[in-house]
Amino acid sequence: MIKITADSTCDLSPEIIEQLDISLMPLHVLINEEDFRDGIDITPKDIFRYVSEEGKTCKTAAVNVFDENLFKELSPHYDAVIHISLGSGFPLAIKCPNCIGTI
């Protein structure tokens, strides 16, 4: 059996995520010194509000080592884990899944 995971920038509908049992890994959104997990601690609506109404600048950060645990938890239960990331032009977004070795 194959497991599909994706980072939170994939913009898949909740219906597709549920239908295909896709596990999402949130990218981090940094606003000033605060770290939010995309789709968990902050929504796109929140981000637009921070930028347009409060004039704050937002940055993104790659998945960190703590978030790698998702892959470690899933890999023993599946023949393969396929991760869909933001893009190959963002090496840090794909680094963590590739460093596990069982994916």
Side-chain angles (χ1 to χ4, degrees), residues 25 33 99:
M25 178 173 280
E33 299 297 318
C99 69

Side-chain angles (χ1 to χ4, degrees), residues 55-92:
K56 295 183 178 178
T57 302
C58 301
K59 299 178 184 179
T60 58
V63 172
N64 63 38
V65 175
F66 175 77
D67 296 324
E68 283 181 26
N69 288 331
L70 173 66
F71 299 110
K72 290 180 182 177
E73 291 170 13
L74 293 174
S75 60
H77 305 286
Y78 296 91
D79 297 321
V81 177
I82 298 173
H83 182 72
I84 302 166
S85 67
L86 183 58
S88 61
F90 298 87
L92 289 176

Side-chain angles (χ1 to χ4, degrees), residues 20-83:
L20 298 176
D21 190 31
I22 297 172
S23 295
L24 292 182
M25 178 173 280
L27 260 61
H28 292 258
V29 178
L30 307 172
I31 302 174
N32 294 339
E33 299 297 318
E34 219 169 334
D35 182 1
F36 299 92
R37 292 169 298 164
D38 182 33
I40 296 174
D41 306 316
I42 196 167
T43 65
K45 184 177 179 179
D46 296 326
I47 294 169
F48 286 116
R49 181 178 50 79
Y50 278 119
V51 173
S52 66
E53 295 176 17
E54 299 182 27
K56 295 183 178 178
T57 302
C58 301
K59 299 178 184 179
T60 58
V63 172
N64 63 38
V65 175
F66 175 77
D67 296 324
E68 283 181 26
N69 288 331
L70 173 66
F71 299 110
K72 290 180 182 177
E73 291 170 13
L74 293 174
S75 60
H77 305 286
Y78 296 91
D79 297 321
V81 177
I82 298 173
H83 182 72

